[in-house]
Amino acid sequence: MRGARSAKWVASAIVVALAATACGGSDDDDSTSDGASDGNSGGGIVRVDGGEPQNPLIPSDTSEAYGGLVMDNIFSKLLEFDDSGEIELLAAESIEPNEDATVWTVTLNSGWTFHDGTDVTAQHYVNAWNWAANVDNNQSSSFWFADIAGYEDVHPEEGSPTAEEMSGLSVVDDLTFEIALSHPVSYYNYKLGYTPFTPLPDSFYDDPEGFGEAPVGNGPYRLDEWNHNTSIKLSTYEDYAGRNAAKNDGVEIIAYTGLDAAYQDLLSDNLDVIRQVDPKDLPVYETDLGDRAISQAYNGIQSIVPVKYGDWENVDPQVIQGISKAIDRETITQTVLNGSRTPADSFAPPGVLGYQEGADGGIAEYDPEAARDLVEAGGGVPNNEMVLQINGDGGHQEWAEAVCNSIIDALDIECTLDIKPDFDTDLEARAANEVQSFYRGGWLADYPLNANFMSELYHSRSSTNYGRFDNPEVDALFEQGDQAASLEETVTAYQEAEQVLWEEMPAIPLWFQNVNGGYSNNVENVAFDTAGMPILTEVTVK
C-alpha cells in the first residue's frame, strides 16, 4: 500500500480515488536548520473522508489506501519526495551508498521521539525491519525487505528454521545503522521512502496485536481513537521533531459507505476534505464548489486484473490483449468520467521516472475487429463470460458498467459485475483467491519510479500480486533492473521489462488518475501530494 508520498502541489485541493496502496505525507518550508519544526499554527479538527483499514495498523501490514492514509500521518518516513520526484530527507540526516550500492548507511536526525515519549534510535529501525521480515509474523509487506542480506534466513522456505535477525542490518551507534544488501540496488534509497521502513517503539513487542489497534508512531499526529467502520481520530503530536508539523489540532477520518454521502456532507460543511467525488457528481462539482474544487493529475493508475487460477489460470495472453482492445477508453473517460481521466498507454503513469508514451504498442487502442481476432487466436474467453469484481463504496460502478458494456458490444460475450460492499471485503476476496475472473486494480506511487508500478504488482513474490501472475522471465527482468549499476540503467531495464508485460498481460491498464475532490468553507490551505493523497498537516481551520 505505498510514498512518492510527500511532494505536494499546494492548491485549493485534495485527493484520490480509492486505490490499492499506502499514501501521503507532506513538506513544510517553515523549518529550522536542524529539521525541527518551529511549532504549530491554526487550530481545530479537520474532517476527511476515508474508510475502514483492511489490516491492523502496523507499518509492515498496511498496503491499501484507507490504512495508508492513517499510517502516513502517525508515522514519519526516513525520506519523502518533492513534486519533481527528487528525494527530500525527513527523519534521516543522510542516506549514503557505498561504491557499488550494496551497503547503505543511514544517519538519523537527533531529537525524534515516539508518541510515548521514548527516543527514536537506530536500533528501533533495525528491530522493526527484522520483525517485519520474519515469516512467522505474517506481514503483508515482508517482501519489501527481500533485498537485505539474510532475508532468506528470517523468511526461509517452508520447513526450514527461521532466524531472528537479518545479517545485513547492523547498528553503528544510536543514530546510525547500515543496510547490507544481497546484491546491488541502485535506487534502494527510493524504497526507503515507503511505510514498511518506519521504526517501532519498544512497547510494540510486548503486544503487537494490541499495538495494531492503538499504534504508537513517530509522526506529526498520534492516534486517539479507532471506532471501527465509523471513524479514526488523530490529534497533533506536540513534540514532533519533523519539519512538517501539523497546522491544525487533529484529524477525524470518517468512514463512508459511498462517495455520494461524503459529497453531500461536504456541501453542507459537515465534511472538510473529500478525496474523490462520485462519477455522477463530476459534471457539477466544480460549479458546486467553485474555487474549492480540485482537478489535477497524480501518479496513479486504474486497471482491471485477470486472475491466474480457476477458469482463467491458463488463458492465453492474446485473449487479455483482445479484451483490452475491446475497451473504448476514450469514450468512457470523456463521458462517464467527464474528461477527468487520461486513457493509459503504459503500465506506469506520466509523472514517474521511466514512463514511456505509447508503450502499449496499440494494445490499449480501441479496435473491436482486432479485439475479436486476438480473442479467437488465443482460444476464446473461458465459458464466453467474464466477471469484474469492484468495491461498491469507491464510486467505481458507473465506469465498470461502461467497461463491461464496451466489452460486450465488441466481443459478444457476457460481462457482469461482482460488487463487494466495501474495499475491505473486496481485498479479502482477492487475498483468499476468490475472484471469479477480473478485479479492479488501482495503484498509487510509493516512490516515483516505473519499477514501483511493475515489481510491486507483478513479481511472483509480491503480496499485492492478487492476480497471482507468475512468470519467471518477468521476475528475472525485474531482478536485473534492481541490480543495474545506476538509477538510469534501472529505469531503462524496467522499460524493457514493460514491453514483456504488454506481451504477457498481467493486467489491463485503463487510465491514469486525477484528483477530483474539494474542501469545505471551514478550512484553508488544502493540498495534496503527487500520489494523490491529502497533506493533512498543511490544512488550517478557519
Side-chain angles (χ1 to χ4, degrees), residues 242-266:
R243 64 176 179 273
N244 55 330
K247 297 178 179 178
N248 49 64
D249 291 333
V251 172
E252 182 177 9
I253 302 170
I254 302 171
Y256 284 92
T257 57
L259 296 181
D260 181 61
Y263 186 59
Q264 293 305 312
D265 274 358
L266 185 81

Side-chain angles (χ1 to χ4, degrees), residues 377-390:
V381 172
N383 305 314
N384 214 36
E385 63 179 3
M386 61 174 283
V387 179
L388 173 56
Q389 177 178 302
I390 65 170

Side-chain angles (χ1 to χ4, degrees), residues 173-419:
D173 56 43
D174 279 352
L175 295 178
T176 311
F177 64 100
E178 289 186 347
I179 311 164
L181 307 179
S182 57
H183 50 261
V185 181
S186 63
Y187 67 100
Y188 198 72
N189 49 344
Y190 280 81
K191 290 192 173 189
L192 295 180
Y194 188 38
T195 305
F197 294 100
T198 47
L200 292 170
D202 293 337
S203 59
F204 166 80
Y205 306 96
D206 297 331
D207 183 11
E209 184 175 350
F211 184 97
E213 289 292 312
V216 176
N218 66 329
Y221 296 101
R222 61 194 307 163
L223 190 142
D224 289 339
E225 189 177 337
W226 182 2
N227 299 303
H228 287 278
N229 298 297
T230 302
S231 68
I232 295 176
K233 297 180 180 180
L234 313 179
S235 63
T236 300
Y237 180 47
E238 298 295 339
D239 294 327
Y240 179 61
R243 64 176 179 273
N244 55 330
K247 297 178 179 178
N248 49 64
D249 291 333
V251 172
E252 182 177 9
I253 302 170
I254 302 171
Y256 284 92
T257 57
L259 296 181
D260 181 61
Y263 186 59
Q264 293 305 312
D265 274 358
L266 185 81
L267 292 178
S268 59
D269 289 331
N270 290 318
L271 180 72
D272 295 317
V273 177
I274 190 170
R275 301 176 304 132
Q276 190 71 24
V277 302
D278 195 274
K280 73 178 183 60
D281 294 317
L282 286 171
V284 299
Y285 85 102
E286 291 179 305
T287 300
D288 288 346
L289 299 179
D291 59 7
R292 293 181 289 111
I294 293 303
S295 175
Q296 190 161 341
Y298 67 89
N299 294 335
I301 191 169
Q302 193 77 250
S303 303
I304 59 174
V305 183
V307 296
K308 300 297 183 181
Y309 52 80
D311 291 340
W312 289 77
E313 181 174 4
N314 297 310
V315 169
D316 192 296
Q318 288 184 99
V319 173
I320 312 301
Q321 291 176 334
I323 294 172
S324 175
K325 292 186 74 65
I327 301 171
D328 189 351
R329 295 164 176 78
E330 188 66 36
T331 296
I332 295 170
T333 55
Q334 289 302 313
T335 57
V336 178
L337 295 170
N338 201 50
S340 65
R341 309 288 190 274
T342 303
D345 58 357
S346 170
F347 277 86
V352 304
L353 188 60
Y355 162 72
Q356 301 180 91
E357 184 177 0
D360 66 301
I363 296 171
E365 295 176 5
Y366 180 59
D367 187 336
E369 183 176 352
R372 289 189 291 271
D373 290 343
L374 282 164
V375 169
E376 183 178 353
V381 172
N383 305 314
N384 214 36
E385 63 179 3
M386 61 174 283
V387 179
L388 173 56
Q389 177 178 302
I390 65 170
N391 53 301
D393 61 348
H396 305 298
Q397 185 170 346
E398 288 88 349
W399 69 252
E401 288 175 344
V403 165
C404 262
N405 288 334
S406 185
I407 292 169
I408 292 168
D409 290 343
L411 299 179
D412 193 25
I413 66 169
E414 185 176 352
C415 181
T416 57
L417 301 184
D418 178 8
I419 304 175

Side-chain angles (χ1 to χ4, degrees), residues 75-97:
F75 284 90
S76 283
K77 307 181 186 81
L78 290 167
L79 57 89
E80 302 179 318
F81 304 95
D82 67 18
D83 44 347
S84 63
E86 296 297 318
I87 286 174
E88 291 188 338
L89 297 176
L90 184 56
E93 180 183 277
S94 65
I95 301 174
E96 298 293 338

Side-chain angles (χ1 to χ4, degrees), residues 105 135 308 335 374 426 473 481 497:
T105 302
V135 67
K308 300 297 183 181
T335 57
L374 282 164
D426 175 33
E473 178 188 5

